[in-house]
Amino acid sequence: MMEHNLLLDAWKEGKAIGAFNANTYDDMEAIVQAAAELGRPVILMASMSCCKFMGIDTFVMFAKHLEKKYGTPVITHLDHCIDPELLYKCVDAGFDYVMFDGSNRSFEENCQMTAQIVRDCHEKGVFVEGELGVISGTEGPLKSDTGVFTDPQQMKEFIARTDLDTLAVSIGNQHGFYKGEPKLNFELLEVLAKESSIPLVLHGGTGIPVEDIARAVSMGICKVNVGTDIRATYLRTVSEYGKNWDGKNDIRGYITCLRDEIKKVAKYYMVSYS
Ligand code: 13P
């Protein structure tokens, strides 16, 4: 329980912990290096498809190894899980913190399923994040073109009935690259933060101006999720490296370059709310 208490500490101090989606050892290492250089804890997030691709035991093992290697707290998180069976496997494999995303279900079903998952996870000392309202864009198995803002009254009931630890809110944030200017609804965030007894989470961090992220954090956001920017940086770097390849078999040079670029992106977000 100790590591995710760091989230509550960050929240009380008006700070946040950076949460990044990772898919390979190299992006995981770059993100942890960035956090260690800033003297910050970090959250490494595995999507459902990352769990399938990498294997949940491998993800946990890499994260624990990196925590030891760099001497900074690393919290393992399952992102946007809609499958309770996978969620429980992750809990058993040693994840610190899991998200059950019931946002595509009815309010009643979301409440009941989240409450049961929270009960089971708390018995094992694992933190739980839920989602209320719908964040637009595509994330893992869920897709929404429009999104639905989080309703403050429903949120109060959801928190009371589920006893969850953190809540992902929909306030104009989107998953993926924004089409047009990202516009967070700070008036709504102010109401949500005032009414909420638990820390709130900002998804869809990619592309939100860092000043806006910092403002949201100062208002009650304790975790900022970034995925697309990490993946895009990974692929851009690989493709540029490939274009300029000199024919030598220097795979370590390429991985060093890849890690440096991802590290820069992770730091860019983290410094804004550390
Ligand atoms: P982005 O891919 O838009 O950065 O969002 C990531 C996210 O919120 C993961 O849950």
Side-chain angles (χ1 to χ4, degrees):
M1 213 50 166
M2 202 198 96
E3 281 187 343
H4 24 47
N5 280 341
L6 294 170
L7 268 174
L8 299 178
D9 293 344
W11 182 52
K12 285 178 200 144
E13 289 170 23
K15 291 183 179 173
I17 300 185
F20 299 92
N21 291 102
N23 285 283
T24 69
Y25 179 75
D26 296 309
D27 51 8
M28 289 174 88
E29 178 154 32
I31 293 161
V32 176
Q33 265 182 327
E37 286 175 21
L38 294 173
R40 298 288 298 152
V42 71
I43 299 169
L44 287 178
M45 300 193 290
S47 63
M48 289 175 69
S49 49
C50 167
C51 289
K52 209 166 152 196
F53 170 72
M54 194 191 277
I56 53 182
D57 291 329
T58 309
F59 188 87
V60 172
M61 185 183 69
F62 283 169
K64 296 293 164 209
H65 161 74
L66 289 166
E67 176 171 67
K68 211 160 142 202
K69 181 169 174 186
Y70 290 97
T72 204
V74 175
I75 299 167
T76 44
H77 179 80
L78 172 65
D79 192 29
H80 286 287
C81 187
I82 59 167
D83 173 8
E85 201 183 317
L86 174 66
L87 184 144
Y88 290 125
K89 276 190 189 152
C90 288
V91 169
D92 289 341
F95 272 63
D96 302 301
Y97 178 23
V98 293
M99 176 184 193
F100 174 67
D101 185 346
S103 65
N104 63 337
R105 299 173 187 269
S106 69
F107 176 70
E108 195 51 41
E109 207 180 357
N110 191 4
C111 264
Q112 285 179 16
M113 290 183 79
T114 305
Q116 182 60 52
I117 284 168
V118 170
R119 277 194 293 278
D120 297 336
C121 289
H122 282 182
E123 266 178 27
K124 301 194 170 174
V126 171
F127 251 35
V128 181
E129 179 173 318
E131 179 170 321
L132 196 62
V134 180
I135 298 168
S136 71
T138 302
E139 189 61 41
L142 299 178
K143 184 175 185 311
S144 164
D145 293 331
T146 47
V148 179
F149 281 165
T150 306
D151 176 79
Q153 280 313 313
Q154 257 192 354
M155 179 194 71
K156 273 177 85 170
E157 187 183 336
F158 191 67
I159 294 171
R161 284 178 60 187
T162 60
D163 191 30
L164 82 175
D165 302 289
T166 61
L167 180 72
V169 289
S170 174
I171 53 165
N173 44 321
Q174 291 175 18
H175 287 124
F177 288 118
Y178 285 78
K179 299 181 190 84
E181 274 299 285
K183 215 170 167 318
L184 296 187
N185 185 336
F186 286 107
E187 291 74 31
L188 175 58
L189 177 59
E190 194 176 2
V191 178
L192 294 172
K194 198 162 148 259
E195 298 291 338
S196 173
S197 51
I198 59 169
L200 304 177
V201 175
L202 184 67
H203 281 239
T206 296
I208 300 179
V210 282
E211 309 76 52
D212 285 0
I213 293 181
R215 184 170 165 203
V217 168
S218 72
M219 291 169 71
I221 294 285
C222 76
K223 169 173 173 268
V224 178
N225 284 18
V226 173
T228 302
D229 225 352
I230 299 292
R231 292 190 291 277
T233 303
Y234 196 117
L235 294 170
R236 195 180 325 107
T237 311
V238 171
S239 101
E240 274 162 23
Y241 205 87
K243 270 189 247 150
N244 300 319
W245 187 40
D246 58 7
K248 293 191 189 132
N249 292 323
D250 181 14
I251 194 164
R252 292 186 207 107
Y254 135 72
I255 289 177
T256 305
C257 175
L258 180 64
R259 285 190 192 148
D260 287 348
E261 291 306 310
I262 293 175
K263 201 163 82 169
K264 267 189 231 158
V265 173
K267 274 189 172 176
Y268 167 78
Y269 288 99
M270 277 191 275
V271 288
S272 71
Y273 46 75
S274 291

